[in-house]
Amino acid sequence: MSIVRPLLSRISSFTYSACQQEHVCTRSVRTISKSLQAMNLNERVRPAQEIVEDTSLEEEAQRKVIIEKVNSQIEKSTHGRLYAIIHLMGKQRKVTDGDLIQMEGNFPPIAGDKIRLEKVMLVGSSDFTILGRPILRPDLVRVEATVVERNLSYTKIRFIKKKRSNFMRSRFLKYPTTILRINSIEITGKLDERPEIEGVEGRTF
Amino acid sequence: MVFTCTVLCARRDFDKYWKRRRIFQLSAHFEGRKRNCYSVAVRYVHRAFAYTTNSRKLKKKAVRRRWIDRIHAGAAEFGSTYEALITGLGRCHISLNHQTLSNLAV
């Protein structure tokens, strides 16, 4: 099935009639080119109908093959070490099992607390990556971490001086930092198998 | 009042030693008289403070420029460009930021 591009149909009606004639008047060519320029078209666009083939069926078949392969790896857990990109404290971090992460700012959990990191944007292994739009659904991936340490950062200096103006302001700041240890990243669900009701896990009514 | 020993607060500038100690701790890694002479060291320590505050803004710009270059290089490996990749990701609602994209590209 061929699809005709609708954007160019206006131009095609313009020039097709000109091409049909044996002798193309120079005046008519100039007016056509001027009108094309007036439309602000890219030089590469040819004023003719393009035939675009419909490859949606092939793409569907390819997609199913890939998803089957990934699901089989998930089932047998042969994917190996997983990495994930997590959105935490306003920042995105690339993370694997056993990583230590440091975060600055007010993070309520104290040392020893076990946490589940929910905002997972990407999960990957050596063979595949699963991208979330923008986040992966919670029944697909599970990232667990423990809080190792809560401390203050090194002293950060905020200093302004204007020379010869007797103006000098200094401020010495220390922000609270936490260090997390990523315990595990697991893919707990399969691709293309969404539950009937979503957003209910772990919630109490 | 009768004081049997010299009163410390009667000295003119009790904290002078400790004030200078604070500056010398910060100038310990400077060269020459900037390290040991107070009137010189103070000026250079203040300069160092001012550099740290200003460079925080500059660092963000420089680092973002580096991320963009790396993303462009990663996209060029697959025959694309930075602009095409970023607009494409935006349309697909994939909100990975420049830092993570450059980490993945490297």
Side-chain angles (χ1 to χ4, degrees):
Chain A
M1 194 181 88
S2 61
I3 303 162
V4 171
R5 291 207 170 163
L7 281 171
L8 298 173
S9 60
R10 238 185 91 199
I11 308 151
S12 65
S13 59
F14 239 130
T15 54
Y16 188 68
S17 53
C19 298
Q20 283 286 310
Q21 297 163 15
E22 276 185 36
H23 308 284
V24 178
C25 184
T26 49
R27 228 183 257 171
S28 63
V29 169
R30 270 186 216 149
T31 52
I32 288 161
S33 64
K34 272 190 186 172
S35 61
L36 286 173
Q37 277 171 25
M39 283 191 222
N40 291 324
L41 290 172
N42 206 355
E43 279 173 41
R44 283 182 231 153
V45 168
R46 282 186 224 143
Q49 292 179 346
E50 256 188 69
I51 298 166
V52 179
E53 284 176 14
D54 186 19
T55 54
S56 56
L57 292 169
E58 291 168 11
E59 283 173 11
E60 237 339 277
Q62 274 178 3
R63 194 179 141 265
K64 281 187 180 175
V65 165
I66 290 166
I67 286 172
E68 263 181 57
K69 283 186 187 173
V70 174
N71 279 338
S72 68
Q73 279 208 355
I74 291 166
E75 221 183 292
K76 297 165 192 170
S77 60
T78 53
H79 41 66
R81 180 177 272 265
L82 291 169
Y83 72 92
I85 288 173
I86 283 156
H87 191 280
L88 189 62
M89 294 290 285
K91 286 167 195 89
Q92 296 175 11
R93 299 147 205 274
K94 184 167 156 291
V95 140
T96 53
D97 299 349
D99 270 2
L100 282 172
I101 305 172
Q102 186 177 16
M103 291 125 48
E104 256 191 29
N106 187 24
F107 194 68
I110 55 171
D113 285 352
K114 288 217 164 187
I115 292 163
R116 190 203 159 168
L117 303 171
E118 291 193 336
K119 289 184 191 169
V120 186
M121 307 179 78
L122 185 150
V123 164
S125 75
S126 54
D127 290 330
F128 61 85
T129 47
I130 308 170
L131 292 160
R133 299 176 171 200
I135 290 169
L136 295 167
R137 53 191 164 91
D139 47 278
L140 184 64
V141 191
R142 194 177 176 89
V143 180
E144 289 189 342
T146 45
V147 181
V148 173
E149 191 188 336
R150 289 217 62 190
N151 212 343
L152 291 170
S153 70
Y154 65 94
T155 29
K156 298 194 175 178
I157 297 155
R158 221 183 264 176
F159 184 83
I160 315 165
K161 183 177 173 168
K162 290 190 184 172
K163 51 188 177 183
R164 300 182 293 277
S165 310
N166 199 23
F167 178 85
M168 198 160 79
R169 300 279 180 271
S170 58
R171 204 174 159 93
F172 299 91
L173 301 157
K174 280 189 176 179
Y175 296 105
T177 55
T178 45
I179 296 178
L180 285 184
R181 169 81 73 181
I182 304 291
N183 296 127
S184 64
I185 301 172
E186 294 156 3
I187 302 181
T188 51
K190 285 193 190 173
L191 299 176
D192 248 12
E193 286 176 25
R194 300 179 80 169
E196 279 177 19
I197 304 164
E198 284 179 27
V200 170
E201 272 187 37
R203 307 273 182 255
T204 52
F205 292 96
Chain B
M1 286 215 273
V2 176
F3 300 107
T4 50
C5 56
T6 51
V7 180
L8 294 172
C9 57
R11 277 202 216 161
R12 208 179 69 176
D13 199 356
F14 172 67
D15 281 325
K16 180 165 118 181
Y17 176 76
W18 300 106
K19 273 186 194 168
R20 295 185 174 200
R21 201 91 302 278
R22 262 208 306 265
I23 296 291
F24 290 137
Q25 271 170 11
L26 296 161
S27 71
H29 61 280
F30 293 171
E31 274 190 53
R33 278 198 267 172
K34 298 178 218 167
R35 186 171 51 233
N36 291 323
C37 301
Y38 179 72
S39 51
V40 181
V42 153
R43 281 179 257 150
Y44 285 94
V45 164
H46 288 164
R47 266 196 194 177
F49 284 175
Y51 289 150
T52 52
T53 47
N54 293 332
S55 62
R56 259 180 247 132
K57 290 177 208 168
L58 299 171
K59 182 183 172 186
K60 288 170 176 88
K61 288 185 185 178
V63 156
R64 191 177 168 90
R65 187 70 245 162
R66 200 190 300 162
W67 291 337
I68 290 168
D69 291 341
R70 285 181 182 173
I71 294 165
H72 190 80
E77 281 180 28
F78 294 95
S80 182
T81 58
Y82 163 81
E83 291 92 1
L85 181 64
I86 296 291
T87 50
L89 289 172
R91 284 179 192 173
C92 297
H93 307 292
I94 293 169
S95 50
L96 295 169
N97 63 7
H98 284 54
Q99 187 181 14
T100 47
L101 288 170
S102 75
N103 280 336
L104 295 168
V106 163

PDB file of all heavy atoms in Angstrom, chain A residues 56-75:
ATOM      1  N   SER A  56       4.688  -1.215   8.668  1.00  0.00           N
ATOM      2  CA  SER A  56       4.247  -1.391  10.052  1.00  0.00           C
ATOM      3  C   SER A  56       4.141  -2.861  10.427  1.00  0.00           C
ATOM      4  O   SER A  56       4.430  -3.227  11.560  1.00  0.00           O
ATOM      5  CB  SER A  56       2.912  -0.680  10.269  1.00  0.00           C
ATOM      6  OG  SER A  56       1.971  -1.156   9.335  1.00  0.00           O
ATOM      7  N   LEU A  57       3.739  -3.706   9.498  1.00  0.00           N
ATOM      8  CA  LEU A  57       3.609  -5.144   9.807  1.00  0.00           C
ATOM      9  C   LEU A  57       4.960  -5.765  10.099  1.00  0.00           C
ATOM     10  O   LEU A  57       5.124  -6.544  11.046  1.00  0.00           O
ATOM     11  CB  LEU A  57       2.919  -5.882   8.652  1.00  0.00           C
ATOM     12  CG  LEU A  57       1.453  -5.548   8.424  1.00  0.00           C
ATOM     13  CD1 LEU A  57       0.995  -6.137   7.101  1.00  0.00           C
ATOM     14  CD2 LEU A  57       0.576  -6.080   9.552  1.00  0.00           C
ATOM     15  N   GLU A  58       5.954  -5.397   9.265  1.00  0.00           N
ATOM     16  CA  GLU A  58       7.302  -5.930   9.491  1.00  0.00           C
ATOM     17  C   GLU A  58       7.861  -5.458  10.826  1.00  0.00           C
ATOM     18  O   GLU A  58       8.474  -6.231  11.570  1.00  0.00           O
ATOM     19  CB  GLU A  58       8.238  -5.480   8.362  1.00  0.00           C
ATOM     20  CG  GLU A  58       7.928  -6.120   7.042  1.00  0.00           C
ATOM     21  CD  GLU A  58       8.669  -5.452   5.899  1.00  0.00           C
ATOM     22  OE1 GLU A  58       9.572  -4.634   6.167  1.00  0.00           O
ATOM     23  OE2 GLU A  58       8.320  -5.743   4.745  1.00  0.00           O
ATOM     24  N   GLU A  59       7.626  -4.170  11.096  1.00  0.00           N
ATOM     25  CA  GLU A  59       8.127  -3.625  12.367  1.00  0.00           C
ATOM     26  C   GLU A  59       7.465  -4.308  13.560  1.00  0.00           C
ATOM     27  O   GLU A  59       8.121  -4.583  14.574  1.00  0.00           O
ATOM     28  CB  GLU A  59       7.862  -2.111  12.424  1.00  0.00           C
ATOM     29  CG  GLU A  59       8.830  -1.297  11.591  1.00  0.00           C
ATOM     30  CD  GLU A  59       8.443   0.168  11.524  1.00  0.00           C
ATOM     31  OE1 GLU A  59       7.558   0.609  12.280  1.00  0.00           O
ATOM     32  OE2 GLU A  59       9.021   0.869  10.695  1.00  0.00           O
ATOM     33  N   GLU A  60       6.149  -4.574  13.437  1.00  0.00           N
ATOM     34  CA  GLU A  60       5.425  -5.301  14.501  1.00  0.00           C
ATOM     35  C   GLU A  60       6.057  -6.670  14.739  1.00  0.00           C
ATOM     36  O   GLU A  60       6.284  -7.076  15.879  1.00  0.00           O
ATOM     37  CB  GLU A  60       3.993  -5.534  14.040  1.00  0.00           C
ATOM     38  CG  GLU A  60       2.817  -5.035  14.846  1.00  0.00           C
ATOM     39  CD  GLU A  60       2.905  -4.721  16.278  1.00  0.00           C
ATOM     40  OE1 GLU A  60       2.808  -5.643  17.118  1.00  0.00           O
ATOM     41  OE2 GLU A  60       3.085  -3.556  16.564  1.00  0.00           O
ATOM     42  N   ALA A  61       6.357  -7.379  13.651  1.00  0.00           N
ATOM     43  CA  ALA A  61       6.932  -8.727  13.776  1.00  0.00           C
ATOM     44  C   ALA A  61       8.304  -8.667  14.444  1.00  0.00           C
ATOM     45  O   ALA A  61       8.620  -9.450  15.346  1.00  0.00           O
ATOM     46  CB  ALA A  61       7.033  -9.371  12.399  1.00  0.00           C
ATOM     47  N   GLN A  62       9.115  -7.676  14.005  1.00  0.00           N
ATOM     48  CA  GLN A  62      10.453  -7.515  14.613  1.00  0.00           C
ATOM     49  C   GLN A  62      10.342  -7.233  16.099  1.00  0.00           C
ATOM     50  O   GLN A  62      11.084  -7.783  16.920  1.00  0.00           O
ATOM     51  CB  GLN A  62      11.198  -6.366  13.933  1.00  0.00           C
ATOM     52  CG  GLN A  62      11.944  -6.752  12.695  1.00  0.00           C
ATOM     53  CD  GLN A  62      12.607  -5.553  12.055  1.00  0.00           C
ATOM     54  OE1 GLN A  62      12.547  -4.441  12.566  1.00  0.00           O
ATOM     55  NE2 GLN A  62      13.234  -5.788  10.925  1.00  0.00           N
ATOM     56  N   ARG A  63       9.389  -6.347  16.399  1.00  0.00           N
ATOM     57  CA  ARG A  63       9.203  -5.945  17.802  1.00  0.00           C
ATOM     58  C   ARG A  63       8.845  -7.155  18.666  1.00  0.00           C
ATOM     59  O   ARG A  63       9.376  -7.329  19.766  1.00  0.00           O
ATOM     60  CB  ARG A  63       8.089  -4.899  17.849  1.00  0.00           C
ATOM     61  CG  ARG A  63       7.993  -4.127  19.141  1.00  0.00           C
ATOM     62  CD  ARG A  63       6.875  -3.113  19.086  1.00  0.00           C
ATOM     63  NE  ARG A  63       6.204  -3.061  20.352  1.00  0.00           N
ATOM     64  CZ  ARG A  63       5.120  -3.733  20.678  1.00  0.00           C
ATOM     65  NH1 ARG A  63       4.522  -4.494  19.783  1.00  0.00           N
ATOM     66  NH2 ARG A  63       4.599  -3.642  21.877  1.00  0.00           N
ATOM     67  N   LYS A  64       7.965  -7.996  18.150  1.00  0.00           N
ATOM     68  CA  LYS A  64       7.536  -9.179  18.921  1.00  0.00           C
ATOM     69  C   LYS A  64       8.697 -10.131  19.156  1.00  0.00           C
ATOM     70  O   LYS A  64       8.848 -10.701  20.243  1.00  0.00           O
ATOM     71  CB  LYS A  64       6.407  -9.906  18.192  1.00  0.00           C
ATOM     72  CG  LYS A  64       5.077  -9.246  18.372  1.00  0.00           C
ATOM     73  CD  LYS A  64       3.952 -10.064  17.791  1.00  0.00           C
ATOM     74  CE  LYS A  64       2.652  -9.314  18.032  1.00  0.00           C
ATOM     75  NZ  LYS A  64       1.511  -9.974  17.404  1.00  0.00           N
ATOM     76  N   VAL A  65       9.546 -10.276  18.133  1.00  0.00           N
ATOM     77  CA  VAL A  65      10.709 -11.164  18.273  1.00  0.00           C
ATOM     78  C   VAL A  65      11.625 -10.668  19.380  1.00  0.00           C
ATOM     79  O   VAL A  65      12.073 -11.426  20.242  1.00  0.00           O
ATOM     80  CB  VAL A  65      11.448 -11.272  16.926  1.00  0.00           C
ATOM     81  CG1 VAL A  65      12.824 -11.852  17.111  1.00  0.00           C
ATOM     82  CG2 VAL A  65      10.658 -12.096  15.940  1.00  0.00           C
ATOM     83  N   ILE A  66      11.883  -9.349  19.349  1.00  0.00           N
ATOM     84  CA  ILE A  66      12.798  -8.771  20.348  1.00  0.00           C
ATOM     85  C   ILE A  66      12.223  -8.930  21.748  1.00  0.00           C
ATOM     86  O   ILE A  66      12.930  -9.317  22.701  1.00  0.00           O
ATOM     87  CB  ILE A  66      13.065  -7.271  20.044  1.00  0.00           C
ATOM     88  CG1 ILE A  66      13.915  -7.141  18.770  1.00  0.00           C
ATOM     89  CG2 ILE A  66      13.771  -6.594  21.195  1.00  0.00           C
ATOM     90  CD1 ILE A  66      13.941  -5.759  18.206  1.00  0.00           C
ATOM     91  N   ILE A  67      10.923  -8.651  21.883  1.00  0.00           N
ATOM     92  CA  ILE A  67      10.308  -8.732  23.213  1.00  0.00           C
ATOM     93  C   ILE A  67      10.311 -10.160  23.734  1.00  0.00           C
ATOM     94  O   ILE A  67      10.536 -10.407  24.930  1.00  0.00           O
ATOM     95  CB  ILE A  67       8.890  -8.141  23.181  1.00  0.00           C
ATOM     96  CG1 ILE A  67       9.001  -6.603  23.104  1.00  0.00           C
ATOM     97  CG2 ILE A  67       8.083  -8.523  24.400  1.00  0.00           C
ATOM     98  CD1 ILE A  67       7.715  -5.894  22.890  1.00  0.00           C
ATOM     99  N   GLU A  68      10.111 -11.121  22.821  1.00  0.00           N
ATOM    100  CA  GLU A  68      10.154 -12.530  23.254  1.00  0.00           C
ATOM    101  C   GLU A  68      11.527 -12.906  23.776  1.00  0.00           C
ATOM    102  O   GLU A  68      11.666 -13.595  24.793  1.00  0.00           O
ATOM    103  CB  GLU A  68       9.804 -13.443  22.085  1.00  0.00           C
ATOM    104  CG  GLU A  68       8.365 -13.871  22.061  1.00  0.00           C
ATOM    105  CD  GLU A  68       8.103 -14.808  20.885  1.00  0.00           C
ATOM    106  OE1 GLU A  68       8.785 -15.842  20.823  1.00  0.00           O
ATOM    107  OE2 GLU A  68       7.238 -14.482  20.065  1.00  0.00           O
ATOM    108  N   LYS A  69      12.565 -12.421  23.060  1.00  0.00           N
ATOM    109  CA  LYS A  69      13.945 -12.732  23.499  1.00  0.00           C
ATOM    110  C   LYS A  69      14.224 -12.137  24.869  1.00  0.00           C
ATOM    111  O   LYS A  69      14.804 -12.790  25.753  1.00  0.00           O
ATOM    112  CB  LYS A  69      14.939 -12.150  22.488  1.00  0.00           C
ATOM    113  CG  LYS A  69      15.059 -12.941  21.218  1.00  0.00           C
ATOM    114  CD  LYS A  69      16.171 -12.375  20.345  1.00  0.00           C
ATOM    115  CE  LYS A  69      16.167 -13.063  19.003  1.00  0.00           C
ATOM    116  NZ  LYS A  69      17.117 -12.441  18.075  1.00  0.00           N
ATOM    117  N   VAL A  70      13.795 -10.888  25.046  1.00  0.00           N
ATOM    118  CA  VAL A  70      14.057 -10.216  26.327  1.00  0.00           C
ATOM    119  C   VAL A  70      13.287 -10.911  27.445  1.00  0.00           C
ATOM    120  O   VAL A  70      13.820 -11.152  28.531  1.00  0.00           O
ATOM    121  CB  VAL A  70      13.681  -8.718  26.242  1.00  0.00           C
ATOM    122  CG1 VAL A  70      13.800  -8.062  27.598  1.00  0.00           C
ATOM    123  CG2 VAL A  70      14.570  -7.994  25.255  1.00  0.00           C
ATOM    124  N   ASN A  71      12.016 -11.267  27.164  1.00  0.00           N
ATOM    125  CA  ASN A  71      11.214 -11.933  28.194  1.00  0.00           C
ATOM    126  C   ASN A  71      11.779 -13.284  28.581  1.00  0.00           C
ATOM    127  O   ASN A  71      11.730 -13.678  29.745  1.00  0.00           O
ATOM    128  CB  ASN A  71       9.765 -12.091  27.703  1.00  0.00           C
ATOM    129  CG  ASN A  71       8.971 -10.814  27.873  1.00  0.00           C
ATOM    130  OD1 ASN A  71       9.332  -9.977  28.675  1.00  0.00           O
ATOM    131  ND2 ASN A  71       7.896 -10.678  27.123  1.00  0.00           N
ATOM    132  N   SER A  72      12.357 -13.989  27.599  1.00  0.00           N
ATOM    133  CA  SER A  72      12.956 -15.291  27.930  1.00  0.00           C
ATOM    134  C   SER A  72      14.172 -15.108  28.819  1.00  0.00           C
ATOM    135  O   SER A  72      14.411 -15.872  29.744  1.00  0.00           O
ATOM    136  CB  SER A  72      13.328 -16.040  26.655  1.00  0.00           C
ATOM    137  OG  SER A  72      14.390 -15.393  25.999  1.00  0.00           O
ATOM    138  N   GLN A  73      14.957 -14.043  28.539  1.00  0.00           N
ATOM    139  CA  GLN A  73      16.110 -13.761  29.413  1.00  0.00           C
ATOM    140  C   GLN A  73      15.666 -13.397  30.816  1.00  0.00           C
ATOM    141  O   GLN A  73      16.299 -13.782  31.805  1.00  0.00           O
ATOM    142  CB  GLN A  73      16.945 -12.609  28.832  1.00  0.00           C
ATOM    143  CG  GLN A  73      17.881 -13.038  27.738  1.00  0.00           C
ATOM    144  CD  GLN A  73      19.104 -12.146  27.642  1.00  0.00           C
ATOM    145  OE1 GLN A  73      19.222 -11.144  28.333  1.00  0.00           O
ATOM    146  NE2 GLN A  73      20.013 -12.514  26.774  1.00  0.00           N
ATOM    147  N   ILE A  74      14.565 -12.640  30.900  1.00  0.00           N
ATOM    148  CA  ILE A  74      14.059 -12.242  32.219  1.00  0.00           C
ATOM    149  C   ILE A  74      13.579 -13.462  32.982  1.00  0.00           C
ATOM    150  O   ILE A  74      13.825 -13.624  34.180  1.00  0.00           O
ATOM    151  CB  ILE A  74      12.918 -11.205  32.074  1.00  0.00           C
ATOM    152  CG1 ILE A  74      13.465  -9.877  31.544  1.00  0.00           C
ATOM    153  CG2 ILE A  74      12.223 -10.973  33.408  1.00  0.00           C
ATOM    154  CD1 ILE A  74      12.397  -8.934  31.073  1.00  0.00           C
ATOM    155  N   GLU A  75      12.858 -14.354  32.258  1.00  0.00           N
ATOM    156  CA  GLU A  75      12.307 -15.551  32.905  1.00  0.00           C
ATOM    157  C   GLU A  75      13.405 -16.425  33.487  1.00  0.00           C
ATOM    158  O   GLU A  75      13.345 -16.864  34.631  1.00  0.00           O
ATOM    159  CB  GLU A  75      11.537 -16.352  31.861  1.00  0.00           C
ATOM    160  CG  GLU A  75      10.237 -16.939  32.345  1.00  0.00           C
ATOM    161  CD  GLU A  75       9.603 -17.766  31.237  1.00  0.00           C
ATOM    162  OE1 GLU A  75       9.175 -17.170  30.238  1.00  0.00           O
ATOM    163  OE2 GLU A  75       9.583 -18.993  31.391  1.00  0.00           O
TER     164      GLU A  75
END
